[in-house]
Structure formats: C-alpha cells, structure tokens
Amino acid sequence: MSDQSTEFTRLPETDEEREDPERATREEVLDFWTERFGVPPETFEGYTFWERGAGKLWLYQGSPPSPVDIEGLGMTFLRTRQEHWKPTLEAVQRFGEHASQNVIHLDEDTARAFVAGEDQELDWDGDWGYLVVTHDLAGEAEPVGVGLYVYGELRSQVPKGRRREV
Amino acid sequence: MEPLDRYRPIIDDFEAFIDACERPLPSAVRVNTIKASVERVRTALADADIAYEPVDWHDGLFVLPEDSPGANWPYFHGWIHGQEEVSVIPATVLDPQPGERVWDACAAPGSKTTQLAALIEDTGEVVATDNNLGRISALRTNTERLGATTVAVTHEDGRNHSLKPFGGEGYDRALVDVPCSCEGTIRKNPDTLEDWTLSHVEGISGVQKGILKRAVEVTEPGGTVVYSTCTFAPEENEAVLDYVLGETACEIVDYDLPLDHAPGITEWQDETFDPSVADAKRIYPHHNDTGGFFCAKLEVPAE
C-alpha cells in the first residue's frame, strides 16, 4: 500500500473518464452510498472525492487543482479496491443520518461495548456486511460508527485509536 | 514565576496577576457546530451527568468543573472539543464568513482550525499549515473527529507558505497563532517557565515576524489577519506587530472584545512601538480568571 504518498488525485466522474480501471469513479461512490445505505446522491453535492494511495478515498469541500501534494484533504471517507467497500467511522458520523437501510440501532450498553471495540452476538435479520451503527444521543438516533455483521455477530470496526470506555 | 517579574511595570495589580497564575484552570470545551447544536450538547452533557457551566461571552463554550473532556459520548461523536477559553478568541476575532478561504498559519493541533471550519459553516476552505509532522497527525485526528470537510493540511514552515497547491489563490483571512514562549499557559502547565530564557524569546520572535509577514502577503486586499500568542512578552507581541507594520502595507485596527483586557503597550525597555499597537489586546489571568493571551487584528487595505 502506498499510504505514505502525499499526492491526492481527484476521482474521475464516470467510467468514460477513467484511465486506471482499478480506480473508483465519483458515480460509483454515489451509487455505493445509495445502494448500500440509501443515502441520496444529492447529499454529496458540492463535495469532491480524492484518492491517496491505493483505494483510500477522501471527501473535501473545495476543489484545488488535481493532483494536489499535501498532508490532508478533508476527511477519509471510503476504502475501495477490496471486495466490499468500507466507509470510515468519520464518514458515517458525518453523513450516516441520511442512511435509511443497513442501519442497526443499539441500546446504551451495546453501544458502549461497540465503542470499546468489542464484538457482540446480536440478532439482525438484514444483510450481512458493513452496517451503519446508531444509538440514542440527546433524544435522537445518532450514527456512531461502522460495524461488520457476519455469522450472528456485530464486529466493531472502531479504529483502535478511537476506542473509548464512555 | 520568576521570569514574570519583568512585567511588573506593565501589569496592573501585579500581586493579583501572580496569584491567578498560581491557580490551576478547569477544563473547558467548545461546541463543534459542524456536528451538533449548543442545545443538543447541553442535553447530551446533562444526560451523561456531566456538570457544565456556561461562559458568559460565548454561548458555545462550557467549563467542565469536574470532568476532563475525552471519555464521554459527546466527545466521541465530535460534538465537543477541549479548548481553553482564551484560545477561542482569535478565530472569533477573525470572524470568517461561509464560503471564504482562510489560512491557519500555525495550525496544529487544530483547535482553532476546526473552530474556523465551524465558523465558515464548513463551506469554503481552511488551509491549515504546520511544520511538524507529529503535530500534523494530531491536527488530522482532530479535524476528522470533528467532521470538518473544508480543511486542507500542508506541511511546511509558515514563513515560506506556498499558494501553488491551490492554484495561486490568496486568502480572504489569515489566522497567525504563532508558536511562542507560552507564559500565559502557566495555569495549565505549571512547568512552562522552567526552561524560559530571554534568548528563546528573542529567537522565536524572529520566526513570528516571518510568519506574520507571509500571512499579510498572502491575504487579498481588503482581507483580515489576526495575530495571537499565549504569552506576555512584548518582544513576541507588540514588537512583532511593529516590525510587520514597517515591512508591509497592513494596518492594526480596533475590535470589540467582551472580556476584560489591557491595551497593547507602546513602550518596552528601550523601544517605542507604532502607536496603533495599542489597539491589540492583552488578556491577563486575573482579569477574567482565564489563561493569558495577546490578540491583534490587522487589515490589508483594499486596492
């Protein structure tokens, strides 16, 4: 992985503009959020998508000339170039409120365990794969992170550095 | 407290000042309005049984008398960010507007950067620069946790900031919160003054001058620059402003600050400064029971 690269390149809009066949397009990114989580494409209007290293996508409000060689551009957003695309915790906390499917709502104790990084056996009758995990905060459901649901288990995907005993 | 004795001639009620410097400060948090409203943060803190006290001059600031921010739900969600009361001043004075381009010249660890992003309602562009990769990693972590999508991080010395990655475009505003001798943070870090030397003060003052000069250069005509430090040393405060007034076309302007403060000083030891440095503000710990701070507002004249 060339994660050490500091060169961000803007995603091509569509397949016709794509030179590297492995590279995601803006269209595919929007389709992913719609198909997996029901997030409408207009949610991302005004944002640009960038790739740094292989498969690590960033979302930025602004449009510097591509490529741009700097240390950070907005927030990390989506991991592609693997079998199942995986949204970041940051993306889900920021945009997960627009999700209408593959959203699992946890009670307080389960949410605490999730944020501490624990895997938990839970009932879920939806699709296996990456889920938007929510819990109640200040009286409303609030997206807290990404979970991976397989074999009757919700696996916490909270990165080690973000885990907390809340 | 010995290095602070040199300020006896310029600080009113010097004994109260020293007393205040010896008292620790409680934690304060700023509401991150990119992710939550002040009202929802109040509810979340109350639900978690975290005591909080309002700060009268800024409704998005709370003092947490019993808690340190870090291990609670509002923190995990990026709804709050630990930030000292006086550290909230410079971005407030800069007052960037939605859609504007802002340069944060010494950005890490990102408290003020993310505050700037919130003030522009996360629409526009905040270019955040730091010269230390370790601190940049903290800056990126904070930016991500607070969900800012308008922050671009560059690794360079602010004195040589390049506009090239952004197509050569200048800025509407710039925040120059420079590295300094940090005398004003003594209430947070009681060992701050242990390594104090006059030669460090004088050396860092050269860096401060270079960064402020670059900020004025990259700010468009009609734009605003805010210069701030968390120290009392005139060498790092008024002397830096005086230098930049001589080197560039900027002007120092007055501004309202709803906290008790003293004006910038126009004389220090053998030096006399431009009279307009009096429009800068000196905030002392005994004025408002905060940390110490210095903040000036500059304008680049319209063409």
Side-chain angles (χ1 to χ4, degrees):
Chain A
M1 283 303 221
S2 52
D3 264 3
Q4 299 311 309
S5 162
T6 54
E7 185 171 278
F8 291 83
T9 45
R10 195 162 163 173
L11 290 194
E13 290 293 311
T14 59
D15 193 40
E16 291 79 62
E17 291 178 25
R18 168 159 55 189
E19 285 166 12
D20 174 357
E22 297 293 305
R23 159 165 283 228
T25 64
R26 178 182 178 90
E27 197 171 57
E28 283 175 334
V29 170
L30 297 180
D31 286 350
F32 166 80
W33 284 91
T34 306
E35 285 164 17
R36 180 71 197 167
F37 299 114
V39 174
E42 54 268 28
T43 308
F44 301 108
E45 242 171 58
Y47 295 102
T48 51
F49 299 137
W50 301 75
E51 185 170 20
R52 179 169 98 166
K56 195 172 185 184
L57 302 197
W58 300 57
L59 164 144
Y60 186 56
Q61 164 100 27
S63 45
S66 174
V68 55
D69 187 6
I70 58 176
E71 290 299 319
L73 201 59
M75 62 162 67
T76 55
F77 179 63
L78 191 64
R79 188 51 103 161
T80 63
R81 305 204 191 204
Q82 52 194 26
E83 192 185 348
H84 298 287
W85 288 12
K86 180 183 180 184
T88 62
L89 176 143
E90 286 77 21
V92 160
Q93 283 197 349
R94 183 72 205 274
F95 299 100
E97 62 177 315
H98 302 286
S100 55
Q101 63 196 41
N102 290 316
V103 178
I104 187 168
H105 190 74
L106 303 183
D107 63 29
E108 182 68 11
D109 287 345
T110 322
R112 280 181 202 282
F114 172 78
V115 166
E118 290 171 29
D119 301 336
Q120 305 178 82
E121 284 186 17
L122 285 175
D123 287 333
W124 167 252
D125 54 11
D127 280 357
W128 288 14
Y130 292 120
L131 306 182
V132 168
V133 175
T134 64
H135 76 131
D136 283 331
L137 183 63
E140 286 173 47
E142 185 73 19
V144 66
V146 180
L148 174 62
Y149 193 87
V150 281
Y151 304 109
E153 191 178 56
L154 181 70
R155 297 183 182 164
S156 174
Q157 305 293 298
V158 176
K160 283 203 172 67
R162 294 289 306 269
R163 290 176 191 170
R164 287 285 183 285
E165 304 285 338
V166 294
Chain B
M1 298 290 163
E2 196 184 325
L4 300 181
D5 273 342
R6 65 202 293 261
Y7 307 126
R8 198 178 283 273
I10 61 169
I11 297 180
D12 64 303
D13 202 355
F14 190 77
E15 300 313 318
F17 164 76
I18 292 294
D19 285 352
C21 287
E22 283 169 348
R23 289 196 300 271
L25 267 188
S27 298
V29 294
R30 175 176 57 80
V31 172
N32 173 33
T33 51
I34 295 171
K35 280 187 155 182
S37 66
V38 174
E39 202 42 53
R40 287 199 79 195
V41 168
R42 282 177 187 275
T43 307
L45 289 171
D47 285 354
D49 286 328
I50 298 169
Y52 63 93
E53 293 163 3
V55 169
D56 58 6
W57 70 277
H58 193 298
D59 68 359
L61 270 182
F62 298 112
V63 169
L64 306 186
E66 294 157 17
D67 218 83
S68 58
N72 54 58
W73 280 122
Y75 178 88
F76 186 81
H77 280 271
W79 287 13
I80 56 173
H81 181 69
Q83 188 170 352
E84 204 46 67
E85 193 174 332
V86 286
S87 145
V88 173
I89 292 170
T92 310
V93 173
L94 190 65
D95 193 27
Q97 302 297 308
E100 289 187 338
R101 291 194 79 235
V102 183
W103 183 38
D104 190 352
C106 312
S111 300
K112 300 178 188 80
T113 310
T114 49
Q115 186 188 358
L116 293 170
L119 285 168
I120 61 171
E121 296 171 11
D122 208 29
T123 64
E125 199 155 52
V126 179
V127 175
T129 295
D130 207 275
N131 68 350
N132 178 305
L133 273 180
R135 286 200 309 260
I136 278 181
S137 123
L139 167 64
R140 282 195 29 210
T141 305
N142 283 322
T143 303
E144 295 233 16
R145 188 176 56 82
L146 299 196
T149 67
T150 48
V151 177
V153 177
T154 75
H155 175 221
E156 57 189 337
D157 185 322
R159 289 175 286 187
N160 308 316
H161 175 54
S162 169
L163 296 176
K164 229 164 102 189
F166 305 93
E169 215 183 326
Y171 298 100
D172 299 298
R173 298 175 204 253
L175 180 63
V176 187
D177 181 66
V178 286
C180 70
S181 58
C182 296
E183 295 163 349
T185 65
I186 179 110
R187 300 182 67 183
K188 268 278 184 231
N189 308 302
D191 51 4
T192 299
L193 300 177
E194 277 172 21
D195 298 323
W196 191 99
T197 62
L198 187 58
S199 67
H200 176 250
V201 168
E202 288 165 348
I204 206 160
S205 151
V207 176
Q208 294 158 345
K209 287 171 181 169
I211 299 172
L212 180 55
K213 183 173 173 228
R214 185 65 187 143
V216 174
E217 286 168 0
V218 297
T219 300
E220 298 287 347
T224 305
V225 177
V226 163
Y227 179 75
S228 60
T229 74
C230 51
T231 204
F232 310 116
E235 295 87 344
E236 301 178 56
N237 293 330
E238 290 87 350
V240 173
L241 296 175
D242 186 69
Y243 165 83
V244 168
L245 288 175
E247 291 284 314
T248 69
C250 70
E251 295 162 3
I252 297 174
V253 297
D254 199 8
Y255 62 93
D256 290 327
L257 182 67
L259 283 164
D260 287 344
H261 58 269
I265 60 170
T266 54
E267 286 174 31
W268 173 247
Q269 295 171 347
D270 301 332
E271 280 192 88
T272 309
F273 306 124
D274 188 286
S276 68
V277 304
D279 284 333
K281 322 282 190 216
R282 291 181 154 262
I283 298 139
Y284 294 119
H286 60 306
H287 281 157
N288 311 279
D289 196 20
T290 61
F293 215 70
F294 177 85
C295 186
K297 184 175 185 181
L298 293 78
E299 279 179 8
V300 181
E303 278 172 339

